[in-house]
Amino acid sequence: DAKTTQPTSMDCAEGRAANLPCNHSTISGNEYVYWYRQIHSQGPQYIIHGLKNNETNEMASLIITEDRKSSTLILPHATLRDTAVYYCIVRATSNFGNEKLTFGTGTRLTIIP
Amino acid sequence: KAGVTQTPRYLIKTRGQQVTLSCSPISGHRSVSWYQQTPGQGLQFLFEYFSETQRNKGNFPGRFSGRQFSNSRSEMNVSTLELGDSALYLCASSLQPGTHYGYTFGSGTRLTVV
């Protein structure tokens, strides 16, 4: 699986949009971009994933650049409950025998009241 | 529907003992993965089971083992515990390996080895 690079930490004011960048310059054509977050002392929570098109769900939006070498997770109206470590993961799918998620160090997002 | 259930939530063991952790996946999910999380190493993949077969294994010593039952519930066992095995052990379930629908994690079992 391709390696990802994320900033170590970020702050965002409550109510504003939080934009979390991720670089994955070695991503392969069959690798998806996944985002998970981990709130303190809980298990990681799946947020969103995408291949090459932008994606949106009830939690967030995922913007993937045309060359797929980077992406941005957007939390449109951040709340204090969004304070967490956010992990960007690239992973091929439908590969029996390669199902693991490789977590990096993630971005520690702090929402400021 | 019920989420991924891990038991026990907390556990304290003595060095040299063995421990068994349990994971019940979401109903209908047949794949179960295990991860270890420590402050120094972060989240690391242990192994994944599907249809009672181990499909993939991480880089951990043989003291770490697991199994999956016919109802998809899974257990992991650590023998001859070491202080360094103190960690949060997380279980994740999905419909099947390779699915791109994401994994659902449990809240974990926090193991402390003294």
Side-chain angles (χ1 to χ4, degrees):
Chain A
D1 293 338
K3 181 178 173 58
T4 63
T5 304
Q6 299 177 252
T8 302
S9 63
M10 292 180 63
D11 292 338
C12 178
E14 188 178 16
R16 304 296 295 270
N19 297 280
L20 291 91
C22 179
N23 286 319
H24 32 78
S25 58
T26 61
I27 192 170
S28 301
N30 66 340
E31 288 183 315
Y32 284 73
V33 179
Y34 288 78
W35 283 84
Y36 283 78
R37 73 180 182 183
Q38 187 174 24
I39 296 170
H40 183 61
S41 296
Q42 298 181 22
Q45 176 190 24
Y46 165 80
I47 302 172
I48 198 168
H49 74 278
L51 182 62
K52 55 183 178 181
N53 298 320
N54 297 337
E55 301 289 344
T56 296
N57 63 20
E58 64 279 4
M59 288 182 67
S61 294
L62 174 61
I63 308 298
I64 302 174
T65 58
E66 192 169 342
D67 62 8
R68 301 206 329 120
K69 293 185 177 182
S70 66
S71 61
T72 301
L73 177 74
I74 301 172
L75 308 178
H77 305 288
T79 70
L80 298 178
R81 286 181 291 184
D82 293 321
T83 292
V85 178
Y86 288 76
Y87 296 97
C88 169
I89 300 165
V90 293
R91 171 178 172 266
T93 61
S94 299
N95 275 335
F96 277 66
N98 187 31
E99 293 80 27
K100 66 179 180 180
L101 295 172
T102 301
F103 289 86
T105 53
T107 296
R108 184 173 297 278
L109 175 67
T110 302
I111 305 303
I112 309 297
Chain B
K1 57 182 177 182
V4 178
T5 302
Q6 292 189 246
T7 56
R9 188 76 174 89
Y10 301 93
L11 203 52
I12 299 175
K13 288 287 189 178
T14 303
R15 211 169 19 169
Q17 287 186 313
Q18 76 165 16
V19 66
T20 299
L21 311 181
S22 178
C23 172
S24 294
I26 289 174
S27 178
H29 283 195
R30 298 169 60 197
S31 173
V32 174
S33 307
W34 288 89
Y35 290 79
Q36 181 197 64
Q37 186 172 29
T38 61
Q41 299 297 319
L43 275 154
Q44 292 188 290
F45 173 78
L46 280 158
F47 27 65
E48 177 162 22
Y49 287 87
F50 175 70
S51 293
E52 301 177 65
T53 302
Q54 187 180 91
R55 290 286 182 171
N56 199 1
K57 190 176 191 303
N59 188 26
F60 279 81
R63 299 186 297 107
F64 292 81
S65 64
R67 60 178 176 169
Q68 185 180 34
F69 302 96
S70 59
N71 62 357
S72 295
R73 189 178 70 86
S74 177
E75 289 180 348
M76 68 162 283
N77 184 77
V78 188
S79 62
T80 319
L81 283 166
E82 301 177 358
L83 296 179
D85 297 332
S86 294
L88 180 66
Y89 290 88
L90 291 156
C91 166
S93 78
S94 66
L95 284 168
Q96 62 182 47
T99 178
H100 63 268
Y101 291 106
Y103 287 78
T104 301
F105 283 80
S107 296
T109 294
R110 184 163 296 280
L111 171 66
T112 302
V113 182
V114 298

